[in-house]
Amino acid sequence: MNFDLTEEQHLVADTVRSFVERELYPLEQQVERLGDVPREMARDIQRKVIDLGFHAPNIPEEFGGGGLDHLTFALLERELGRTSMALNHWWYRPSNILCAANTEQRERYLLPCVRGERMDALAMTEPDAGSDVRGMKCFARRDGDDWIVNGTKHFISHADWADFVIVFIATGEEARGRKRITCFLVDRGTPGFDIRLGYNSVSHRGYHNCILTFDDCRLPASQILGEEGQGFEVANEWLYATRLTVATMSVGRARRAFDLALNYAAQRKQFGQQIGKFQGVSFKLADLITSIDAADLLTLSAAWRLDRKLPANREIAQAKLFATEMLARVTDEAIQIHGGMGLMDDLPLERFWRDARVERIWDGTSEIQRHIISRELLRPLGA
Amino acid sequence: MKILVPVKRVVDYNVKVRVKADGTGVETAGVKMSMNPFDEIAVEEAVRLKEKGIATEIVAVSLGIAACAETIRTALAMGADRGILVETDVDLQPLAVAKLLKALAEREQPGLMILGKQAIDDDMSSTGQMLAALLGWPQGTFASKLVFENGGLTVTREVDGGLETVALSLPAIVTTDLRLNEPRYASLPNIMKARKKPIETLKPADLGVDPAPRLTVLKVVEPAKRKAGAKVGSVAELVQKLRTEAKVI
């Protein structure tokens, strides 16, 4: 078994890390205070990333992207995860699902995203359809060659920055009453389609969730991504790997929180000695780094399996489950090691702690991940 | 014009260095290593000169253990064309480095060598000067600006009390100061291209140089802890303390 990274992989990770530390860390406080990324700042980050040839690193080279394999991309995302979602979003990674676009859609959606001219968002969740995605109520009925859409989506990340949204909509029912789901490309400004800011979240300030409403919104059939009724098939093929993102980013952020705690434990003195010399603190550090390394290895090995086209469904779910629960523990204990100071916004720890909360919920809750893992185990046994 | 740029593998500038328990040196086991920041500035300057059409080829050189190839690869990802690794386990001191670089200069015949003004590990700041003396080349050290004109090179140097400008004939040695430029990040296309760029590996014996240390390190210790400062109540008290305690006025 070979745990070595290639020189290129080291260089990619080191470059992203330096960029994040030097260019993005200094902006974090401002973004937290504003609860937003000013347009100028966002464009500036994106332009720098384009100049570095690192824009759209997940998209294949044939479409003008960076063409990174899953493992190298996981390393990149791990380093991006060190900073806030609001900032690292501008190291733009268009949704992989756009690779399912036909030739005409490619020109209008995928390629402009790769060039940094347009930006996507992806909409699945509804007020009454969270983990039960197929329970969605947003519905399109056929009208000649067009589809008329009505319904609501919510918790749609960064849709306020999006020029178009990739939306999953029910387009009928199959024999057994299962809904047929179709994936549509919907441009901002389409009559009957509205994007507005959603709720104030405790996690990831400045990275907004939005509410989308469709009110007799007419979409021509040419806006369907993939085939009618094949929405989940398209999603499973292209969104499968992106679920690993939450795990990789959690590992990066946990390492940053851990480093703060480690250094503090080595410096802070109480009762005449460094607090790291007290077993109550040193054993915490031992447990934390062990769980971070374990999450890192789970995550990288899932990415490695994707590169080798091995089954990775269970491994991705395990990485997502373990890494996000690990992040919650690490950020919580990093605050505990800092004592009261850890709660103050002079340090980024209270932010990491808040941000960590959503990671166990979005992109499939911990419970859904456990469901996926156990199903993979039990199904072959007929249970 | 060919430019030779030596790059040194040092403890990353973000790492808080610690003295080894036995006092023989600085702990490097398990510590993140990177290119010396002044050498990054040297590589950046060479790449800019190539982009301006002044340089035609950039050769990145590193001397030391096999892992120094990573440092060369970083230079290649920034835009250097090829690398030379002089591999040795010997602890290299500035004179040995200067001798090895002299031998490489004679072999490669560069029009210019750009070095960092010092390495952030030992802060010796002597390799560039020794190399210039050994080669008999002019030197422009602590450079904050380079201008090429009429077949020569004008170097603005950061010296105590201001800026000094010197004119050099080529070939020459330049060492970089902090303000010469701001090094770029390696771009993704260049990282991918770097893999295909060649790195030649030599031994000191191939260059006819004995790299054995000429200096003996007696011991390495942590800097003395700074004592806590004092607050003064007024300007008058400050002046009085500067006069009677600090004795600086």
Side-chain angles (χ1 to χ4, degrees), chain B residues 124 160 170 212:
Chain B
M124 295 285 256
D160 286 349
L170 298 173

Side-chain angles (χ1 to χ4, degrees), chain A residues 10-310:
Chain A
H10 277 297
L11 274 169
V12 166
D14 285 353
T15 302
V16 180
R17 169 104 175 246
S18 301
F19 186 94
V20 168
E21 286 177 348
R22 286 191 231 161
E23 309 285 337
L24 304 184
Y25 282 10
L27 308 176
E28 289 177 344
Q29 285 279 26
Q30 194 186 345
V31 168
E32 281 298 303
R33 222 174 30 245
L34 292 173
D36 197 7
V37 183
R39 207 67 186 167
E40 285 280 288
M41 184 192 280
R43 287 294 169 208
D44 188 50
I45 297 167
Q46 204 181 5
R47 190 181 40 75
K48 284 179 182 165
V49 175
I50 290 173
D51 289 347
L52 280 179
F54 263 113
H55 198 250
N58 54 320
I59 300 296
E61 275 176 289
E62 55 178 311
F63 303 131
L68 295 185
D69 57 26
H70 289 289
L71 181 54
T72 313
F73 185 62
L75 296 169
L76 175 146
E77 292 218 302
R78 191 178 70 185
E79 301 309 324
L80 285 182
R82 291 176 164 271
T83 191
S84 83
M85 290 289 289
L87 283 165
N88 77 37
H89 175 77
W90 298 93
W91 189 302
Y92 180 39
R93 293 138 280 147
S95 186
N96 284 18
I97 201 172
L98 290 172
C99 293
N102 62 34
T103 320
E104 186 269 335
Q105 291 167 342
R106 198 178 289 159
E107 294 295 329
R108 280 168 56 212
Y109 296 100
L110 175 61
L111 302 183
C113 281
V114 173
R115 291 194 296 263
E117 295 158 8
R118 302 192 82 187
M119 195 162 266
D120 74 289
L122 193 124
M124 192 97 79
T125 306
E126 297 181 5
D128 292 324
S131 294
D132 178 16
V133 184
R134 216 181 264 273
M136 66 174 63
K137 292 188 175 138
C138 191
F139 189 83
R141 70 181 155 79
R142 206 189 281 269
D143 182 40
D145 275 348
D146 295 346
W147 294 84
I148 310 291
V149 187
N150 281 288
T152 304
K153 297 277 174 189
H154 80 164
F155 296 165
I156 309 308
S157 296
H158 66 258
D160 51 329
W161 294 331
D163 300 290
F164 66 95
V165 186
I166 304 156
V167 193
F168 290 82
I169 301 169
T171 48
E173 276 187 15
E174 285 163 6
R176 286 182 301 152
R178 266 162 64 107
K179 283 181 181 156
R180 294 170 63 82
I181 307 295
T182 304
C183 182
F184 285 89
L185 297 160
V186 188
D187 287 299
R188 175 185 285 277
T190 304
F193 173 54
D194 183 50
I195 303 173
R196 66 174 197 274
L197 281 177
Y199 321 86
N200 285 322
S201 169
V202 71
S203 297
H204 296 297
R205 233 173 244 167
Y207 184 67
H208 304 137
N209 64 82
C210 296
I211 297 171
L212 315 183
T213 50
F214 295 87
D215 182 11
D216 282 335
C217 174
R218 179 177 290 272
L219 298 174
S222 60
Q223 294 305 103
I224 292 175
L225 185 65
E227 303 281 317
E228 189 275 319
Q230 300 292 306
F232 280 169
E233 284 71 9
V234 180
N236 285 339
E237 186 179 349
W238 293 102
L239 295 183
Y240 183 56
T242 53
R243 276 173 31 219
L244 204 51
T245 289
V246 181
T248 53
M249 292 214 179
S250 295
V251 173
R253 204 165 311 124
R255 288 214 187 273
R256 186 171 169 200
F258 177 80
D259 287 345
L260 289 171
L262 177 65
N263 285 322
Y264 193 74
Q267 279 163 17
R268 168 79 166 173
K269 283 187 180 155
Q270 290 288 276
F271 305 103
Q273 63 176 8
Q274 293 143 299
I275 59 170
K277 290 198 171 138
F278 293 107
Q279 204 176 65
V281 172
S282 65
F283 275 25
K284 266 195 217 312
L285 292 170
D287 289 342
L288 297 182
I289 196 67
T290 304
S291 63
I292 295 172
D293 285 348
D296 207 354
L297 289 172
L298 270 180
T299 308
L300 296 182
S301 83
W304 178 89
R305 291 180 71 87
L306 285 170
D307 283 328
R308 269 152 196 75
K309 313 238 181 296
L310 296 168

